[in-house]
Amino acid sequence: MTSLYVVAYDVADDARRLRLRKELEGFGVAVQRSVFECYLDDGKLQRLLRRVKRVVREGEDSVRVYKLCSSCAAQVVVLGVGHLSEPPSVYIV
């Protein structure tokens, strides 16, 4: 079963920030410059966390991963440009 996760990051180094963004693109959709929405099951979440840990430097960077329950995800409000991403219809592993 998949859940919606919001991944927000603040990475000090441009090269690391680009590398992290590329890693996250394999798991979800960029909804802002440093925010991704990802539909993940437990296995994919663990893979995402392992990959993020390889990029991020403790003491310099920050990555936050928020799990939204289904009722919380249904209440997300988007103002301005954009919309809540939809779960992918096809998963590529």
Side-chain angles (χ1 to χ4, degrees):
M1 178 159 190
T2 63
S3 296
L4 175 60
Y5 290 84
V6 175
V7 181
Y9 59 92
D10 185 9
V11 176
D13 178 75
D14 288 340
R16 277 198 319 276
R17 188 170 44 254
L18 179 60
R19 185 171 162 211
L20 178 61
R21 184 175 179 85
K22 288 186 182 283
E23 289 288 353
L24 292 173
E25 286 173 347
F27 292 94
V29 176
V31 294
Q32 291 183 357
R33 286 188 181 144
S34 298
V35 180
F36 275 73
E37 291 176 350
C38 307
Y39 287 89
L40 307 169
D41 60 23
D42 290 338
K44 288 182 184 173
L45 173 63
Q46 293 309 312
R47 272 187 297 213
L48 178 143
L49 294 174
R50 281 193 303 272
R51 290 184 181 186
V52 167
K53 286 178 185 178
R54 287 188 282 197
V55 176
V56 172
R57 286 196 185 158
E58 283 192 39
E60 292 183 45
D61 304 328
S62 175
V63 178
R64 294 173 181 253
V65 180
Y66 299 97
K67 180 179 181 179
L68 298 183
C69 67
S70 58
S71 63
C72 294
Q75 296 179 51
V76 172
V77 176
V78 179
L79 303 173
V81 178
H83 60 281
L84 183 64
S85 61
E86 296 289 326
S89 57
V90 175
Y91 288 91
I92 299 173
V93 181

